[in-house]
Amino acid sequence: MNIDNLEAFMYVVQLKSIHKAANALFLSQPTVTARIKTLERELNTELFSRQGRGITLTEQGRAFIPYAEQIIQTYKEGKKLMKDSNEQEEIAIGANVITSQYFIPFALPMWKKENLDVRFKFVSGTNDMLLEKLLQGQIDLAFIRDLSHDNLQRREVLDNTVKLVVYPGHPLLQENEITAKRLAEEPMVFFECGAFDWNRVHKLFEVEKVEPNIEFQVDHLEVAKSIIKSQCAIGFLPYLCIKNELFDGELMEVDVSHLIQIKQHIFLAYTKQEALNQIWSVIESSLTTFKQIDKNFLSIQ
């Protein structure tokens, strides 16, 4: 049984498309189709039913998946065993932009320190790009926002809730039960990014029929943060980018949970449990250390 035929089968299963599988394998569609047909002849059964241009798994095809996965995994393990003992093992990890900027620089040195014999390959990208790389087997793990996919497993790892922040000494810090009308009086910086639902912030003002005083509209978190620190405006920013400034007292959070709550989380996503098991202990340790600042911060409030 040809391992290439099995891999073609699993790519079609995961991507639910011969076209997408061909792109992922850098092959032509006829080549992928031929490999599937060869596998079907060897098994003497149909793995997919063809409906026009679409395909769906047959019952036999669905039943064969765990066996195909086991054969491919056994092959990979054997191939790994045959490698030169001096060759470093590589783990490929991806992260969306905000995690890449604010968590990965903290965590990656810790991972390497605990895994000296492992070479880490890291890529940054959009959530959609990372999902595609995961499904194609180009990366082993990815830090992304919540995405639902049949072949995707995930664990919640980081809080990235959006918070209203101001500079120290701002009058809002002394006020209780702040209203949308009161917020609209303050100059604001808006960070626009497709990864966050900023429509909910706009809706906060629309419901009260007031216009926010948006003095700055930017597409970079550090720019938005600097504007607030310079005491030119206030703004809603995701927690990961302001974590250190809150701890150091350079920025202050204003509680507006009675007006709006935008809870967001970063998830560690993967397609194969063994990929997570291989490095989960050191990732978990880095997450614990990263979050420890939060506990220290809360204890001195």
Side-chain angles (χ1 to χ4, degrees), residues 9 47 57-68:
F9 167 69
L47 299 172
L57 274 167
T58 63
E59 289 186 17
Q60 294 90 337
R62 192 172 291 106
F64 183 63
I65 289 175
Y67 298 99

Side-chain angles (χ1 to χ4, degrees), residues 216-248:
F216 308 91
Q217 189 163 325
V218 301
D219 65 353
H220 197 288
L221 284 168
E222 288 300 311
V223 174
K225 197 162 59 175
S226 295
I227 290 172
I228 299 172
K229 288 165 66 175
S230 67
Q231 303 189 8
C232 292
I234 65 174
F236 288 90
L237 293 177
Y239 177 63
L240 284 183
C241 91
I242 55 175
K243 173 183 169 72
N244 291 337
E245 284 76 12
L246 289 176
F247 177 71
D248 292 335

Side-chain angles (χ1 to χ4, degrees), residues 37-159:
K37 288 185 177 296
T38 299
L39 184 59
E40 289 178 328
R41 285 197 299 270
E42 291 176 343
L43 296 172
N44 194 29
T45 189
E46 283 193 351
L47 299 172
F48 297 97
S49 60
R50 281 77 176 174
Q51 299 175 344
R53 294 186 176 182
I55 58 171
T56 56
L57 274 167
T58 63
E59 289 186 17
Q60 294 90 337
R62 192 172 291 106
F64 183 63
I65 289 175
Y67 298 99
E69 288 178 329
Q70 184 176 358
I71 294 170
I72 293 171
Q73 183 60 31
T74 300
Y75 169 77
K76 288 181 177 179
E77 290 173 358
K79 185 177 179 181
K80 177 181 174 182
L81 186 64
M82 295 300 106
K83 285 183 177 180
D84 185 343
S85 59
N86 293 324
E87 185 175 343
Q88 279 189 308
E89 181 182 358
E90 181 177 275
I91 296 178
I93 297 177
N96 59 8
V97 175
I98 192 166
T99 314
S100 298
Q101 190 168 357
Y102 299 105
F103 174 67
I104 295 300
F106 168 86
L108 200 53
M110 294 182 63
W111 303 343
K112 180 60 180 178
K113 185 177 180 180
E114 297 298 323
N115 296 271
L116 295 176
D117 58 339
V118 175
R119 178 175 61 247
F120 287 93
K121 178 181 178 181
F122 175 73
V123 295
S124 178
T126 64
N127 286 277
D128 290 340
M129 186 192 85
L130 295 172
L131 174 60
E132 185 175 354
K133 285 184 177 293
L134 269 177
L135 296 175
Q136 292 177 0
Q138 295 178 14
I139 57 177
D140 301 303
L141 306 164
F143 291 86
I144 59 178
R145 63 184 171 87
D146 194 13
L147 290 175
S148 179
H149 193 282
D150 292 342
N151 296 314
L152 191 69
Q153 301 179 68
R154 58 197 184 279
R155 293 189 184 187
E156 181 182 309
V157 290
L158 289 168
D159 177 19

